[in-house]
Coordinates of all heavy atoms in Angstrom, one line a residue:
K746 N 144.8 55.5 279.4 CA 145.3 56.9 279.7 C 146.8 56.8 279.8 O 147.4 55.8 280.2 CB 144.7 57.4 280.9 CG 143.1 57.5 280.9 CD 142.6 58.5 279.9 CE 141.1 58.6 280.0 NZ 140.6 59.5 278.9
L824 N 149.1 62.2 275.3 CA 149.2 62.5 276.7 C 147.9 63.0 277.2 O 147.2 63.9 276.7 CB 150.2 63.7 276.8 CG 150.5 64.2 278.3 CD1 151.0 63.0 279.2 CD2 151.5 65.4 278.2
D825 N 147.4 62.4 278.3 CA 146.1 62.6 278.9 C 146.1 63.3 280.2 O 145.2 64.1 280.5 CB 145.3 61.4 279.1 CG 145.2 60.5 277.8 OD1 144.5 60.9 276.8 OD2 145.8 59.4 277.7
I826 N 147.2 63.0 280.9 CA 147.1 63.6 282.3 C 148.6 64.0 282.7 O 149.6 63.4 282.3 CB 146.8 62.5 283.4 CG1 145.4 61.9 283.1 CG2 146.8 63.0 284.7 CD1 145.2 60.5 283.7
V827 N 148.7 65.2 283.2 CA 150.0 65.7 283.7 C 149.8 66.0 285.2 O 149.0 66.7 285.7 CB 150.4 67.0 283.0 CG1 151.7 67.5 283.6 CG2 150.5 66.8 281.5
V828 N 150.8 65.4 286.0 CA 150.9 65.7 287.4 C 152.2 66.5 287.7 O 153.3 65.9 287.5 CB 150.9 64.4 288.3 CG1 150.9 64.8 289.8 CG2 149.6 63.6 287.9
N829 N 152.1 67.7 287.9 CA 153.2 68.5 288.2 C 153.6 68.4 289.6 O 153.2 69.1 290.6 CB 152.9 70.0 287.9 CG 152.8 70.3 286.5 OD1 153.8 70.2 285.7 ND2 151.7 70.9 286.1
T865 N 153.7 72.9 282.0 CA 152.3 73.1 281.8 C 152.0 73.6 280.4 O 151.1 73.1 279.7 CB 151.6 73.9 282.8 OG1 151.9 73.3 284.1 CG2 150.1 74.0 282.7
R866 N 152.8 74.7 280.0 CA 152.6 75.3 278.7 C 152.9 74.3 277.6 O 152.3 74.2 276.5 CB 153.6 76.5 278.5 CG 153.2 77.7 279.4 CD 154.3 78.7 279.2 NE 153.9 80.0 279.9 CZ 154.8 80.9 280.2 NH1 156.1 80.8 279.7 NH2 154.4 82.0 280.8
A867 N 154.0 73.5 277.8 CA 154.4 72.6 276.8 C 153.3 71.4 276.6 O 153.1 71.0 275.5 CB 155.8 71.9 277.2
A868 N 152.7 71.1 277.7 CA 151.8 70.0 277.6 C 150.4 70.4 277.2 O 149.7 69.7 276.5 CB 151.6 69.3 279.0
A869 N 150.0 71.7 277.5 CA 148.6 72.1 277.3 C 148.2 72.0 275.8 O 147.1 71.5 275.5 CB 148.5 73.6 277.7
A870 N 149.0 72.4 274.9 CA 148.6 72.4 273.5 C 148.5 71.0 273.0 O 147.8 70.7 272.0 CB 149.7 73.1 272.7
K871 N 149.1 70.0 273.6 CA 149.1 68.7 273.0 C 148.3 67.7 274.0 O 148.1 66.5 273.5 CB 150.5 68.2 273.0 CG 151.4 69.0 272.0 CD 152.7 68.4 271.7 CE 153.5 69.2 270.7 NZ 154.8 68.6 270.3
L872 N 147.8 68.2 275.1 CA 146.9 67.3 275.9 C 145.7 66.9 275.3 O 145.1 67.8 274.6 CB 146.6 68.1 277.2 CG 146.3 67.3 278.5 CD1 147.6 66.4 278.9 CD2 145.9 68.2 279.6
T873 N 145.2 65.7 275.4 CA 143.9 65.4 274.8 C 142.8 66.2 275.4 O 142.8 66.5 276.6 CB 143.6 63.9 275.0 OG1 143.7 63.6 276.4 CG2 144.6 63.1 274.2
D874 N 141.8 66.5 274.6 CA 140.6 67.1 275.1 C 140.0 66.2 276.2 O 139.9 65.0 276.0 CB 139.6 67.4 274.1 CG 140.0 68.5 273.1 OD1 141.0 69.1 273.4 OD2 139.3 68.8 272.1
G875 N 139.5 66.8 277.3 CA 139.0 66.0 278.4 C 140.1 65.6 279.4 O 139.9 64.7 280.2
G876 N 141.4 66.1 279.1 CA 142.5 65.7 280.0 C 142.5 66.4 281.3 O 141.6 67.1 281.7
R877 N 143.6 66.1 282.1 CA 143.7 66.6 283.4 C 145.2 67.2 283.6 O 146.1 66.6 283.2 CB 143.5 65.5 284.4 CG 142.2 64.7 284.2 CD 141.1 65.4 284.9 NE 139.9 64.5 285.1 CZ 139.1 64.3 284.2 NH1 139.1 64.8 283.0 NH2 138.0 63.5 284.4
I878 N 145.2 68.3 284.4 CA 146.4 68.8 284.9 C 146.2 69.0 286.5 O 145.3 69.6 286.8 CB 146.8 70.1 284.2 CG1 146.9 70.0 282.7 CG2 148.1 70.7 284.9 CD1 147.2 71.3 282.0
I879 N 147.2 68.4 287.2 CA 147.1 68.4 288.6 C 148.5 68.9 289.1 O 149.5 68.4 288.8 CB 146.8 67.1 289.2 CG1 145.4 66.6 288.6 CG2 146.7 67.1 290.7 CD1 145.2 65.0 288.8
F880 N 148.3 70.0 290.0 CA 149.6 70.5 290.6 C 149.7 70.0 292.0 O 148.7 70.0 292.7 CB 149.5 72.1 290.6 CG 149.4 72.8 289.3 CD1 148.3 72.8 288.5 CD2 150.6 73.3 288.7 CE1 148.3 73.5 287.4 CE2 150.6 73.9 287.5 CZ 149.4 74.0 286.8
Y907 N 148.1 80.4 289.2 CA 148.3 79.9 287.8 C 147.4 78.8 287.5 O 146.8 78.8 286.3 CB 149.8 79.4 287.7 CG 150.2 79.1 286.2 CD1 150.4 80.1 285.3 CD2 150.2 77.8 285.8 CE1 150.8 79.8 284.1 CE2 150.5 77.4 284.5 CZ 150.8 78.5 283.6 OH 151.1 78.2 282.4
A908 N 147.1 77.8 288.4 CA 146.3 76.7 288.1 C 144.8 77.2 287.9 O 144.1 76.8 286.9 CB 146.2 75.7 289.3
K909 N 144.4 78.2 288.6 CA 143.0 78.7 288.4 C 142.9 79.4 287.0 O 142.0 79.3 286.3 CB 142.6 79.7 289.5 CG 142.4 79.0 290.9 CD 142.1 80.0 292.0 CE 141.7 79.4 293.3 NZ 140.4 78.6 293.2
G910 N 143.9 80.1 286.7 CA 144.0 80.7 285.3 C 144.0 79.8 284.2 O 143.3 79.9 283.2
A911 N 144.8 78.7 284.4 CA 144.8 77.6 283.4 C 143.5 76.9 283.3 O 143.1 76.5 282.2 CB 146.0 76.6 283.7
A912 N 142.8 76.7 284.4 CA 141.5 76.1 284.4 C 140.5 76.9 283.6 O 139.7 76.3 282.8 CB 141.0 75.9 285.8
R913 N 140.6 78.1 283.7 CA 139.7 79.1 282.9 C 140.1 78.9 281.4 O 139.2 78.8 280.5 CB 139.9 80.5 283.4 CG 139.2 81.5 282.6 CD 137.6 81.4 282.8 NE 137.2 81.7 284.1 CZ 135.9 81.7 284.4 NH1 135.0 81.3 283.6 NH2 135.5 82.0 285.7
D914 N 141.4 78.9 281.1 CA 141.8 78.9 279.7 C 141.4 77.6 279.0 O 141.0 77.6 277.8 CB 143.3 79.1 279.6 CG 143.8 80.5 279.9 OD1 142.8 81.4 280.0 OD2 145.0 80.8 280.1
L915 N 141.6 76.5 279.7 CA 141.4 75.2 279.2 C 140.1 74.5 279.3 O 139.9 73.5 278.8 CB 142.5 74.2 279.7 CG 144.0 74.6 279.5 CD1 145.0 73.7 280.2 CD2 144.3 74.7 278.0
G916 N 139.3 75.2 280.1 CA 137.9 74.7 280.3 C 137.1 74.3 279.0 O 136.3 73.3 279.0
P917 N 137.2 75.2 278.0 CA 136.5 74.9 276.7 C 136.8 73.6 276.1 O 136.0 73.0 275.3 CB 136.8 76.1 275.9 CG 137.0 77.2 276.7 CD 137.8 76.5 277.9
R918 N 138.0 73.0 276.5 CA 138.4 71.7 275.9 C 138.1 70.6 277.0 O 138.6 69.5 276.8 CB 139.9 71.8 275.6 CG 140.2 72.6 274.4 CD 141.7 72.8 274.3 NE 142.4 71.5 274.2 CZ 143.7 71.4 274.4 NH1 144.5 72.4 274.7 NH2 144.2 70.2 274.3
N919 N 137.3 70.9 278.0 CA 137.0 70.0 279.1 C 138.3 69.5 279.8 O 138.3 68.3 280.2 CB 136.1 68.8 278.6 CG 134.8 69.2 278.3 OD1 134.2 70.1 278.9 ND2 134.2 68.8 277.1
I920 N 139.3 70.2 279.8 CA 140.5 69.9 280.6 C 140.4 70.5 281.9 O 140.2 71.7 282.1 CB 141.8 70.5 279.8 CG1 142.0 69.7 278.5 CG2 143.0 70.3 280.7 CD1 143.1 70.2 277.6
T921 N 140.5 69.7 282.9 CA 140.4 70.3 284.3 C 141.8 70.5 284.9 O 142.8 69.8 284.5 CB 139.7 69.3 285.3 OG1 140.4 68.1 285.4 CG2 138.3 68.9 284.7
V922 N 141.9 71.5 285.7 CA 143.2 71.9 286.3 C 142.9 72.1 287.8 O 142.1 73.0 288.2 CB 143.7 73.2 285.7 CG1 145.1 73.4 286.2 CG2 143.8 73.0 284.2
N923 N 143.6 71.4 288.7 CA 143.4 71.5 290.1 C 144.7 71.4 290.8 O 145.7 71.0 290.3 CB 142.5 70.4 290.6 CG 141.0 70.5 290.0 OD1 140.3 71.4 290.5 ND2 140.7 69.7 289.1
L970 N 140.9 62.9 291.1 CA 140.8 64.1 290.2 C 141.1 63.7 288.7 O 140.6 64.3 287.8 CB 141.8 65.2 290.7 CG 141.4 65.9 292.0 CD1 142.4 66.8 292.3 CD2 140.1 66.7 291.8
A971 N 142.1 62.7 288.6 CA 142.4 62.3 287.2 C 141.4 61.4 286.6 O 141.4 61.2 285.3 CB 143.8 61.6 287.3
G972 N 140.6 60.8 287.4 CA 139.6 59.8 286.9 C 138.3 60.3 286.5 O 138.0 61.5 286.6
G975 N 136.3 62.8 288.7 CA 136.7 64.2 288.8 C 136.5 65.1 287.6 O 137.1 66.2 287.5
S976 N 135.6 64.7 286.7 CA 135.5 65.4 285.5 C 134.9 66.7 285.5 O 135.0 67.6 284.6 CB 134.7 64.5 284.4 OG 133.4 64.3 285.0
Y977 N 134.2 67.0 286.6 CA 133.5 68.4 286.7 C 134.1 69.2 288.0 O 133.5 70.1 288.5 CB 131.9 68.2 287.0 CG 131.2 69.4 286.6 CD1 131.2 69.9 285.3 CD2 130.3 70.0 287.6 CE1 130.5 71.1 285.0 CE2 129.5 71.1 287.2 CZ 129.6 71.6 285.9 OH 128.9 72.7 285.6
I978 N 135.3 68.9 288.3 CA 136.0 69.6 289.3 C 137.2 70.3 288.6 O 138.1 69.6 288.1 CB 136.5 68.6 290.4 CG1 135.4 68.0 291.1 CG2 137.3 69.5 291.5 CD1 135.8 66.8 292.1
T979 N 137.3 71.6 288.7 CA 138.4 72.3 288.1 C 138.5 73.7 288.8 O 137.6 74.2 289.4 CB 138.1 72.5 286.6 OG1 139.3 72.9 286.0 CG2 137.1 73.6 286.3
G980 N 139.8 74.1 288.8 CA 140.1 75.4 289.5 C 140.1 75.3 291.0 O 140.0 76.3 291.6
E981 N 140.1 74.1 291.6 CA 140.0 73.9 292.9 C 141.3 73.6 293.6 O 142.2 73.2 293.1 CB 138.9 72.8 293.3 CG 137.5 73.1 292.7 CD 136.8 74.2 293.4 OE1 137.3 74.7 294.5 OE2 135.8 74.7 292.9

Side-chain angles (χ1 to χ4, degrees):
K746 301 294 185 181
L824 178 59
D825 303 294
I826 304 161
V827 176
V828 182
N829 285 304
T865 303
R866 288 174 177 169
K871 299 188 176 184
L872 204 65
T873 55
D874 290 354
R877 307 279 197 272
I878 301 175
I879 301 163
F880 295 81
Y907 187 78
K909 288 179 178 291
R913 176 67 69 179
D914 290 352
L915 299 175
R918 292 171 53 199
N919 289 320
I920 293 172
T921 68
V922 187
N923 293 287
L970 290 172
S976 60
Y977 201 57
I978 301 172
T979 195
E981 299 293 347

